[in-house]
Amino acid sequence: MWRCLTLYLVVSASAASDYYQRRAVLIEKSQNRSIGADLVLNADERKVNRLLMQLKHREFDAGFKDPEKFLPLRHFFLARDNITRSGVFKLIRQMPKGASLHSHDLGLVSDAYVFHNLTFRKNLWAKPDPEGRYTFRFSRTVPDDDGWEEVDALRRSDPSFDARLRAQLTLVVPDPFTAYSDIDVIWRVFEGVFRSVGSLLAFRPAFEDYFYRALEELHEDNVKYLEFRGLLPEVYDLDGRVYTPEEVLGLYDATATRFKRAHPDFVGVRFIYAPSRRVNASVVADYVALYERLHAGKYSKFLAGFDLVGQEDLGRTLLDFVPQLLTLGNRTKFFFHAGETDWSYEPSDLNLYDAVLLNATRIGHGYAILKHPELLRIVKERAIAIEVAPISNQVLKLVDDVRNHPANFLVANGYPVVIACDDPGLWGARGLSFDFYVAFMGLSGREGDLRLLKRLAINSIEYSSLDERRKRYAMKRWRQEWDQFVAGVIRSSETE
Amino acid sequence: MWRCLTLYLVVSASAASDYYQRRAVLIEKSQNRSIGADLVLNADERKVNRLLMQLKHREFDAGFKDPEKFLPLRHFFLARDNITRSGVFKLIRQMPKGASLHSHDLGLVSDAYVFHNLTFRKNLWAKPDPEGRYTFRFSRTVPDDDGWEEVDALRRSDPSFDARLRAQLTLVVPDPFTAYSDIDVIWRVFEGVFRSVGSLLAFRPAFEDYFYRALEELHEDNVKYLEFRGLLPEVYDLDGRVYTPEEVLGLYDATATRFKRAHPDFVGVRFIYAPSRRVNASVVADYVALYERLHAGKYSKFLAGFDLVGQEDLGRTLLDFVPQLLTLGNRTKFFFHAGETDWSYEPSDLNLYDAVLLNATRIGHGYAILKHPELLRIVKERAIAIEVAPISNQVLKLVDDVRNHPANFLVANGYPVVIACDDPGLWGARGLSFDFYVAFMGLSGREGDLRLLKRLAINSIEYSSLDERRKRYAMKRWRQEWDQFVAGVIRSSETE
């Protein structure tokens, strides 16, 4: 009897040890398909990775024990201050992240700057709409039409004015679940904030300072190249001059040039013309005509491509504009927003098919792509990058718990992904680091490591619209920064 | 100039028409990969499909315009009554759905029955725990230990007793978001309800009536075969007899036989022994030993396989019990719960690797599988069915908006999926139809049609534990019912 039992235990121990080996192999095989798994870290990078993963595992395992403690699970408005104290976040802040490839002209800069700097300028007038939301205008004298009051005077006469004004420049509220009951509600407020901020930025000095500030905030966040989408709105000055779209493009270009001169390590800026999708086909034909003129004009190098913006569920679809977009297709790159929706096989997620068929270079959000197998196959095959903006998707109510974000699949399967910040100024973020943090913690699981972060940074340059020569230059700069970052982390860990 | 323009328009129109054609092909290619796309409907089925899709599109498009109206977006507690009025739901209710393959012994029956029938029986005593939750005991005289009061007396003396009691038999509350702040909170209540219901069902007549009622509710819902998981808890009668696990298994078997005699169209029942995972390895060794005895005993045909239950994030992992489970592996089928979690690369979702390596026949929930590419590949290749329980996953806080449920990917890509109801009695559901409705509306997009529903029903038989001969029999019965269903829908649509 004892002999039998012993024999049985031995057999079972060997079966078990074989099992554990097969298990380890299988897990490794899964992990090997994820973004960054192709990279081999050098000895120094491995040191940094160990530090990073210690920090990540500590946060992850605390969250696994008590989900309340896991920051990516909370709404970003409620988690942000704690994120800034996270060790993982601090490391990500320092890390050279390459390029920011998806953000918008009116959401680039933190709301503190917009409030403290722009709204305290001289000659600023405000007019409330029926719901009390302010539009602004700079003018030496009271503007012609009715209802304008000087902001200085409002500020002096109404002690609650500043709090009200500041709240109108951001989506941040203490209880986002109550304030924004569904996606349509928050999009209405979202577009309202854009109207208010947009009216402030229509004034040339505000326009230029805001954009310069945007580049400063990116640069501080260790992002060295920007591709952003913009409406090319009308801009005016106090002398009554109104700038044409091409001149507005020129203002961006000149500001970027000025910034580069002051920050020689900054690689540059390119612009994606992205007007509103809530128009009819003849307006899109006008957009296309304008784009052609800009493309033939003196800022053509500054111009990276074309897109359309606005809530997809409510807006017109790419399909509506196929004839117009086809005429443009041979002469420009497309960076379409598509599939920024929870719906499936409704017009909004079908935009993904058009983005792919119109040969988009990258896809903005692409949130719904998981539901369309052929598109998944194609974006991988053709390396069409998906611009993933996790905080935006949470704030704009596509997903509460980012662990349910479809990019988990894209990350786990090595899809061409870049991390995007969309409109950080509207939700209390700044630069790209917050989205990198949420992606690293909420889109990659416990084991996603430095290779993921490194690959995401490399992707941001690889999938940019830069030509090959400039890409090589940007990559070379980034590699130098990366090595400095790695050396710096090791140095400071050794002196601790 | 005019000639040029005309030429240009012609070229453009032809380019556009080519575009629309390529677009249709691409969309169709995606759709062809989804569950059910392999089925070809006959003329009658196509008629039913048109009716079904009219109803679906109406609900879908109303939701697309106003998300508040889309029922799968709301918490099931708040949507249920409206779902019962949905035309799509009514059709699904009528539809023969085949088998229910994933539910639990203590959550099978609607809470109305438990309250109105079981708690109004004679000889019932109750005792509150420190938090006021009742445990029950049937006894002719007051039970020996302290604190028991007769339910009849409590009911007479305390007008609020019944409301309190009823609330303890279900998870349903008016405001689930406030009542259940996170996954751990709701799991504590969940297990509390099981304790209360379980103590009621420990009494043999209640045990048998409850199970008979479970089969009635399934039968009414047009489900004709059941595989369910159970703990084999102690059962007693008024004469002080306590039934052994094997005798309890016999009670199930006898009740099922009795039900089949009264309902000759019912195919049958099989049982999956699924005790708690929150134990140590020596207890699992005892489970395994018990399972071996049952397997060698007189109800072995009734026994389908083995599983472990309980909240995975807090429980022990399959990995902890590999030596014990390996000894069982050759003699039984496994139906492991695995990856019922939002975490990634924590012990709970790594259970998925063990489920696959231990050759599970089906996987319970498998919610996290999307994050593990190799496992996705293997479950498809080996046809390991994933038991998807969308309402359970929403109620137990894995996902709010089911359109973010990972099964959207599984459905879109033709994975081996069956729809499961888990514990309908605990959340105000009944049978399988509610989960079929949520799956049809929330996991398949606007275009998922009758072929999806039909394939899900067929899957439920194909992926059951029945042997080939009985599978063929069940399938033949189901096909007859299906044809009757199709004919019935056509008939009633023509007389309307």
Side-chain angles (χ1 to χ4, degrees):
Chain A
M1 162 75 193
W2 278 110
R3 270 187 62 188
C4 266
L5 189 63
T6 312
L7 188 64
Y8 166 79
L9 284 175
V10 170
V11 169
S12 153
S14 125
S17 112
D18 170 60
Y19 178 94
Y20 298 129
Q21 212 172 334
R22 284 190 298 134
R23 185 180 194 271
V25 168
L26 193 57
I27 292 177
E28 207 191 322
K29 255 177 124 175
S30 269
Q31 288 178 328
N32 279 347
R33 292 173 61 167
S34 70
I35 295 178
D38 57 321
L39 297 178
V40 178
L41 300 181
N42 64 30
D44 284 348
E45 288 173 323
R46 286 202 300 276
K47 275 189 208 165
V48 173
N49 195 33
R50 275 195 293 278
L51 286 169
L52 173 70
M53 295 311 280
Q54 267 172 24
L55 296 167
K56 181 173 186 178
H57 286 166
R58 203 180 301 155
E59 283 187 42
F60 233 82
D61 296 344
F64 184 68
K65 284 204 194 79
D66 176 6
E68 284 281 300
K69 293 210 175 106
F70 195 62
L71 299 173
L73 293 203
R74 289 197 229 158
H75 192 287
F76 181 69
F77 297 171
L78 311 177
R80 187 195 57 173
D81 291 349
N82 284 320
I83 291 176
T84 60
R85 287 189 285 273
S86 143
V88 172
F89 177 77
K90 286 176 189 164
L91 216 56
I92 286 174
R93 278 279 286 172
Q94 287 177 56
M95 193 185 92
K97 285 169 286 292
S100 170
L101 298 184
H102 180 132
S103 53
H104 294 272
D105 53 353
L106 307 176
L108 295 169
V109 172
S110 52
D111 64 298
Y113 178 86
V114 176
F115 174 73
H116 288 297
N117 184 308
L118 301 188
T119 80
F120 281 82
R121 297 189 176 203
K122 274 194 301 191
N123 300 315
L124 181 59
W125 303 76
K127 178 156 86 168
D129 71 10
E131 287 167 3
R133 172 169 289 286
Y134 288 107
T135 304
F136 301 93
R137 172 132 193 111
F138 286 87
S139 173
R140 289 202 189 92
T141 57
V142 56
D144 284 344
D145 49 326
D146 281 348
W148 293 99
E149 293 190 72
E150 198 155 21
V151 169
D152 255 4
L154 286 166
R155 202 161 252 146
R156 275 196 309 273
S157 67
D158 178 357
S160 73
F161 173 78
D162 267 339
R164 225 167 50 242
L165 172 60
R166 177 133 198 204
Q168 292 189 0
L169 303 174
T170 163
L171 288 170
V172 179
V173 290
D175 185 353
F177 301 105
T178 314
Y180 308 123
S181 56
D182 73 28
I183 191 166
D184 292 347
V185 172
I186 193 158
W187 269 87
R188 271 197 297 280
V189 183
F190 189 46
E191 287 170 356
V193 176
F194 280 144
R195 279 199 306 281
S196 297
V197 174
S199 68
L200 278 168
L201 300 188
F203 178 53
R204 176 178 168 171
F207 181 91
E208 291 171 319
D209 292 354
Y210 177 93
F211 188 59
Y212 196 90
R213 172 71 183 186
L215 302 182
E216 282 179 333
E217 291 191 0
L218 282 175
H219 189 263
E220 275 171 23
D221 196 43
N222 291 301
V223 175
K224 299 298 173 65
Y225 171 71
L226 169 68
E227 257 164 45
F228 75 111
R229 287 152 166 94
L231 302 159
L232 294 182
E234 266 189 4
V235 169
Y236 63 89
D237 64 23
L238 286 185
D239 299 325
R241 176 163 169 202
V242 174
Y243 294 77
T244 66
E246 180 159 28
E247 287 168 332
V248 173
L249 196 61
L251 295 179
Y252 281 131
D253 190 22
T255 307
T257 305
R258 183 157 53 90
F259 184 83
K260 273 180 66 176
R261 257 202 303 273
H263 304 80
D265 60 335
F266 196 74
V267 171
V269 179
R270 294 192 85 200
F271 179 82
I272 296 164
Y273 177 47
S276 168
R277 68 183 329 123
R278 297 183 78 167
V279 298
N280 61 33
S282 89
V283 176
V284 173
D286 294 342
Y287 293 161
V288 168
L290 170 58
Y291 187 88
E292 306 263 22
R293 284 203 307 280
L294 297 174
H295 191 65
K298 57 180 165 174
Y299 306 112
S300 70
K301 276 192 188 159
F302 189 67
L303 201 60
F306 186 87
D307 183 14
L308 292 167
V309 299
Q311 187 181 358
E312 282 181 76
D313 288 343
L314 302 184
R316 301 291 290 274
T317 61
L318 294 177
L319 181 63
D320 292 332
F321 309 131
V322 162
Q324 291 75 32
L325 297 172
L326 279 177
T327 67
L328 189 56
N330 303 325
R331 270 153 301 186
T332 185
K333 288 184 172 166
F334 287 130
F335 301 90
F336 289 123
H337 278 72
E340 187 185 3
T341 181
D342 284 321
W343 292 103
S344 177
Y345 286 97
E346 287 283 358
S348 45
D349 71 315
L350 294 182
N351 279 333
L352 284 163
Y353 286 90
D354 297 290
V356 164
L357 286 165
L358 291 164
N359 288 321
T361 299
R362 298 191 303 263
I363 293 177
H365 297 290
Y367 188 90
I369 198 166
L370 210 60
K371 296 164 180 173
H372 300 282
E374 276 302 303
L375 298 181
L376 278 174
R377 191 183 60 70
I378 293 172
V379 298
K380 199 169 197 176
E381 194 179 286
R382 290 201 219 146
I384 301 172
I386 309 293
E387 300 165 344
V388 172
I391 298 174
S392 168
N393 298 153
Q394 188 199 48
V395 169
L396 295 176
K397 294 186 82 71
L398 291 185
V399 66
D400 283 331
D401 182 340
V402 289
R403 296 175 307 174
N404 282 319
H405 193 294
N408 274 281
F409 177 84
L410 304 178
V411 169
N413 285 279
Y415 278 79
V417 164
V418 295
I419 299 300
C421 56
D422 212 5
D423 297 290
L426 265 67
W427 36 77
R430 183 185 282 217
L432 260 181
S433 291
F434 286 101
D435 284 282
F436 259 78
Y437 174 80
V438 172
F440 188 59
M441 298 298 285
L443 303 182
S444 87
R446 188 177 184 273
E447 301 311 328
D449 64 10
L450 186 66
R451 294 172 302 164
L452 168 63
L453 295 175
K454 187 178 177 183
R455 171 56 70 197
L456 288 171
I458 293 172
N459 279 357
S460 74
I461 297 169
E462 217 160 272
Y463 296 121
S464 74
S465 73
L466 291 170
D467 61 33
E468 286 312 311
R469 194 182 55 78
R470 274 182 284 186
K471 235 179 236 183
R472 273 199 304 279
Y473 171 74
M475 197 66 92
K476 193 177 131 200
R477 299 298 300 253
W478 176 83
R479 285 200 189 278
Q480 288 163 355
E481 286 170 24
W482 179 263
D483 291 343
Q484 281 161 20
F485 157 73
V486 167
V489 172
I490 292 176
R491 213 167 32 246
S492 66
S493 79
E494 285 169 351
T495 57
E496 254 169 21
Chain B
M1 161 75 190
W2 279 111
R3 272 186 63 189
C4 264
L5 188 63
T6 312
L7 187 65
Y8 167 79
L9 282 175
V10 169
V11 169
S12 155
S14 125
S17 113
D18 169 60
Y19 178 94
Y20 298 128
Q21 211 172 334
R22 285 189 298 131
R23 185 180 193 271
V25 168
L26 192 57
I27 292 177
E28 207 191 325
K29 255 179 127 173
S30 268
Q31 287 178 327
N32 279 345
R33 292 176 59 168
S34 70
I35 295 179
D38 57 323
L39 297 177
V40 178
L41 300 181
N42 65 30
D44 283 349
E45 288 173 323
R46 286 202 300 275
K47 275 188 206 163
V48 174
N49 195 33
R50 276 195 293 277
L51 288 168
L52 173 70
M53 294 311 281
Q54 266 171 25
L55 296 167
K56 180 173 185 175
H57 287 166
R58 204 180 303 154
E59 284 188 40
F60 232 84
D61 297 344
F64 184 69
K65 283 204 194 80
D66 176 6
E68 284 281 300
K69 293 210 175 105
F70 195 62
L71 298 173
L73 291 205
R74 288 197 230 160
H75 192 285
F76 181 69
F77 298 169
L78 311 176
R80 188 195 57 172
D81 292 349
N82 285 320
I83 291 176
T84 61
R85 287 189 284 274
S86 143
V88 172
F89 177 76
K90 285 175 190 165
L91 215 58
I92 286 174
R93 275 282 284 173
Q94 288 177 56
M95 192 185 94
K97 285 167 286 291
S100 169
L101 298 184
H102 180 133
S103 53
H104 294 272
D105 53 352
L106 306 176
L108 295 169
V109 172
S110 53
D111 64 298
Y113 178 85
V114 176
F115 175 72
H116 288 297
N117 185 307
L118 301 188
T119 81
F120 280 83
R121 299 190 175 200
K122 275 195 301 191
N123 299 315
L124 182 57
W125 303 77
K127 179 156 87 170
D129 71 9
E131 286 167 3
R133 171 169 289 287
Y134 288 108
T135 304
F136 301 94
R137 175 134 191 110
F138 286 88
S139 173
R140 292 204 186 90
T141 57
V142 56
D144 284 343
D145 49 325
D146 282 350
W148 292 99
E149 293 192 70
E150 200 156 19
V151 167
D152 255 5
L154 285 167
R155 199 161 256 146
R156 278 196 306 272
S157 68
D158 178 358
S160 72
F161 173 77
D162 267 341
R164 225 167 50 241
L165 172 59
R166 177 133 198 205
Q168 292 189 1
L169 302 174
T170 163
L171 288 171
V172 178
V173 289
D175 184 353
F177 301 105
T178 314
Y180 308 123
S181 55
D182 74 29
I183 191 167
D184 292 346
V185 171
I186 193 159
W187 269 87
R188 271 195 296 280
V189 183
F190 189 46
E191 287 171 355
V193 177
F194 281 143
R195 277 198 307 281
S196 297
V197 174
S199 67
L200 279 168
L201 300 187
F203 179 53
R204 177 179 165 167
F207 180 90
E208 291 171 320
D209 292 355
Y210 177 92
F211 188 58
Y212 196 91
R213 171 73 183 184
L215 302 181
E216 283 180 334
E217 291 190 0
L218 282 176
H219 189 264
E220 276 171 22
D221 197 44
N222 292 301
V223 175
K224 300 298 174 65
Y225 172 69
L226 170 67
E227 258 164 46
F228 75 112
R229 286 152 168 96
L231 302 158
L232 295 183
E234 265 188 7
V235 170
Y236 63 90
D237 64 21
L238 285 185
D239 300 324
R241 181 169 164 198
V242 175
Y243 294 75
T244 66
E246 179 157 28
E247 288 169 333
V248 173
L249 195 60
L251 295 178
Y252 281 130
D253 190 22
T255 306
T257 305
R258 184 157 54 90
F259 185 83
K260 272 180 67 175
R261 259 200 302 273
H263 304 80
D265 62 333
F266 195 75
V267 171
V269 178
R270 294 191 87 199
F271 179 81
I272 296 164
Y273 178 45
S276 166
R277 70 185 327 127
R278 297 181 77 169
V279 297
N280 61 34
S282 88
V283 176
V284 172
D286 294 344
Y287 293 161
V288 167
L290 170 59
Y291 188 88
E292 305 263 22
R293 285 201 307 280
L294 298 174
H295 191 64
K298 56 180 168 176
Y299 305 113
S300 69
K301 275 192 189 157
F302 189 68
L303 202 59
F306 187 87
D307 183 13
L308 293 168
V309 298
Q311 187 182 358
E312 282 180 78
D313 289 343
L314 302 183
R316 301 288 291 273
T317 60
L318 295 176
L319 181 62
D320 292 332
F321 308 132
V322 161
Q324 291 74 33
L325 297 171
L326 278 177
T327 69
L328 189 57
N330 303 326
R331 272 152 299 187
T332 186
K333 289 183 171 166
F334 287 130
F335 300 90
F336 289 123
H337 279 73
E340 186 185 3
T341 182
D342 284 322
W343 291 102
S344 177
Y345 287 96
E346 287 284 357
S348 44
D349 71 316
L350 294 182
N351 278 332
L352 285 163
Y353 286 90
D354 297 290
V356 164
L357 286 166
L358 291 164
N359 289 320
T361 298
R362 299 192 302 264
I363 292 176
H365 297 292
Y367 188 91
I369 198 165
L370 210 62
K371 297 166 181 172
H372 300 282
E374 276 301 303
L375 299 181
L376 280 173
R377 190 182 61 70
I378 292 173
V379 298
K380 199 168 197 180
E381 192 179 285
R382 292 200 218 148
I384 302 171
I386 308 293
E387 301 165 345
V388 173
I391 298 174
S392 169
N393 298 152
Q394 188 198 48
V395 170
L396 295 176
K397 296 188 82 71
L398 291 184
V399 65
D400 284 331
D401 182 339
V402 291
R403 296 175 305 173
N404 282 319
H405 193 295
N408 274 282
F409 177 84
L410 304 178
V411 169
N413 285 278
Y415 277 80
V417 164
V418 295
I419 299 300
C421 55
D422 210 7
D423 297 290
L426 266 67
W427 37 78
R430 184 184 283 216
L432 261 181
S433 291
F434 286 101
D435 283 283
F436 259 78
Y437 173 80
V438 172
F440 189 58
M441 300 297 285
L443 304 183
S444 86
R446 188 177 184 272
E447 301 310 330
D449 64 11
L450 187 65
R451 294 173 301 163
L452 168 63
L453 294 175
K454 187 177 176 185
R455 171 55 71 197
L456 288 172
I458 293 172
N459 279 358
S460 74
I461 297 168
E462 218 161 88
Y463 295 121
S464 75
S465 72
L466 291 170
D467 61 33
E468 285 312 311
R469 194 182 55 78
R470 277 183 281 189
K471 233 178 237 184
R472 274 199 304 278
Y473 171 75
M475 197 67 92
K476 195 178 128 200
R477 300 297 302 253
W478 176 83
R479 286 201 189 279
Q480 288 163 357
E481 288 171 23
W482 179 264
D483 291 343
Q484 283 161 22
F485 158 73
V486 168
V489 172
I490 292 175
R491 212 163 37 243
S492 67
S493 79
E494 284 167 355
T495 58
E496 252 169 24

